[in-house]
Amino acid sequence: MIDPQSTAPTWVTAAAGFGVHLSGPQIDQFDRYEQLLIEWNQRLNLTAITDPAEIRVRHFLDSLSCALAINRPGMAGQRLVDIGSGAGFPGLPLAIAFPELEVTVVDSVAKKVRFLETVIAKLGLGRARALAVRAEDLGRDPAHREQYDWVFARSVAEMRVLSEYLLPLCRPGGLIVAQKGTSAPAELAAAVGAIRQLGGSQAALIPVELPGVDSLHYLVVVEKTGLTPERFPRRPGMPAKRPLD
């Protein structure tokens, strides 16, 4: 019998290195996702990456690298939220890879959320949902505040600002995870004070290498140990205008 992994596309084999082993039906879901992304991108600016091979590595595989945080020893949970999801990254690839999780993808742009809703429906992601709302408003909503085991974001804002978006949504004992480039170490060092004010504590940098991509990526992983003070997040726009020290 032929091992499916031995004939899998390169990006699927690389995903296994992150602890993600995709089945045939899951690979088919990614293929459909790719088609929808290319189709919708012709009328809605979702991504500058339009080559199928690059979509698989720079979007799908990059998103699946977040499994390194989900699969951390001693970490368990069911609820995941992706803030500033855009075209669905990293949230929807994680919803495909981990269908047992409840995944919420969030973006403030209604047109992008319509795309996310279409992907969820077409791929049959029954435990995923998309919301059109700003992160600051979501963090003050009792239905979402401190309700998530993992809170993800990719390329949304620098860490001082991002911490104020993400930590209010994370339950004590959960993790926030920011996907960052080479600026990650400096951003994390500058955000230590903000993280502590918001209820976070221990932070770690997980390096991520993608095949064919020269620059090193990082997962910035922060553990939530205390409650976020009620005054955070501040009103929309304030975290970016006046980042916490």
Side-chain angles (χ1 to χ4, degrees):
M1 180 179 293
I2 297 175
D3 180 1
Q5 289 296 327
S6 68
T7 59
T10 301
W11 75 271
V12 174
T13 303
F18 299 138
V20 178
H21 302 278
L22 299 173
S23 66
Q26 287 172 315
I27 295 171
D28 290 342
Q29 286 178 303
F30 277 108
D31 288 343
R32 183 61 177 135
Y33 192 173
E34 178 187 301
Q35 294 167 6
L36 289 167
L37 180 60
I38 293 171
E39 290 171 9
W40 276 67
N41 203 56
Q42 294 175 2
R43 59 183 186 273
L44 180 62
N45 184 25
L46 292 167
T47 177
I49 298 171
T50 56
D51 177 73
E54 289 204 42
I55 288 173
R56 293 163 199 163
V57 173
R58 294 182 178 270
H59 284 326
F60 296 163
L61 184 59
D62 186 47
S63 296
L64 294 178
S65 71
C66 293
L68 295 171
I70 292 175
N71 291 331
R72 279 167 65 102
M75 182 64 198
Q78 288 293 317
R79 303 191 73 192
L80 181 159
V81 63
D82 172 20
I83 298 299
S85 191
F89 309 120
L92 293 187
L94 293 173
I96 296 171
F98 298 95
E100 72 279 7
L101 296 182
E102 297 176 21
V103 175
T104 301
V105 287
V106 177
D107 202 276
S108 62
V109 180
K111 290 181 180 179
K112 292 181 179 180
V113 172
R114 284 197 290 274
F115 169 73
L116 299 176
E117 290 172 338
T118 298
V119 174
I120 289 168
K122 296 288 187 181
L123 271 56
L125 301 177
R127 295 177 68 84
R129 61 176 173 172
L131 300 177
V133 63
R134 291 189 62 130
E136 300 97 323
D137 292 329
L138 195 71
R140 302 197 72 86
D141 184 340
H144 297 273
R145 184 179 178 88
E146 297 184 323
Q147 295 299 308
Y148 292 94
D149 304 295
W150 298 279
V151 185
F152 287 93
R154 184 175 84 152
S155 303
V156 171
E158 57 108 339
M159 277 305 300
R160 291 180 300 162
V161 178
L162 198 56
S163 296
E164 190 168 351
Y165 294 159
L166 305 188
L167 278 164
L169 293 163
C170 188
R171 66 166 175 83
L175 301 175
I176 71 166
V177 183
Q179 292 188 268
K180 290 287 183 179
T182 55
S183 66
E187 286 192 38
L188 179 56
V192 168
I195 289 169
R196 288 176 178 167
Q197 290 183 64
L198 294 160
S201 61
Q202 297 184 20
L205 288 171
I206 302 176
V208 174
E209 294 186 34
L210 300 175
V213 178
D214 293 334
S215 59
L216 190 64
H217 294 199
Y218 292 91
L219 301 181
V220 182
V221 181
V222 178
E223 183 180 356
K224 176 81 173 281
T225 52
L227 296 174
T228 298
E230 289 186 7
R231 65 183 182 277
F232 300 119
R234 291 167 290 170
R235 69 178 185 273
M238 284 302 295
K241 185 176 180 180
R242 297 180 183 175
L244 298 173
D245 294 324

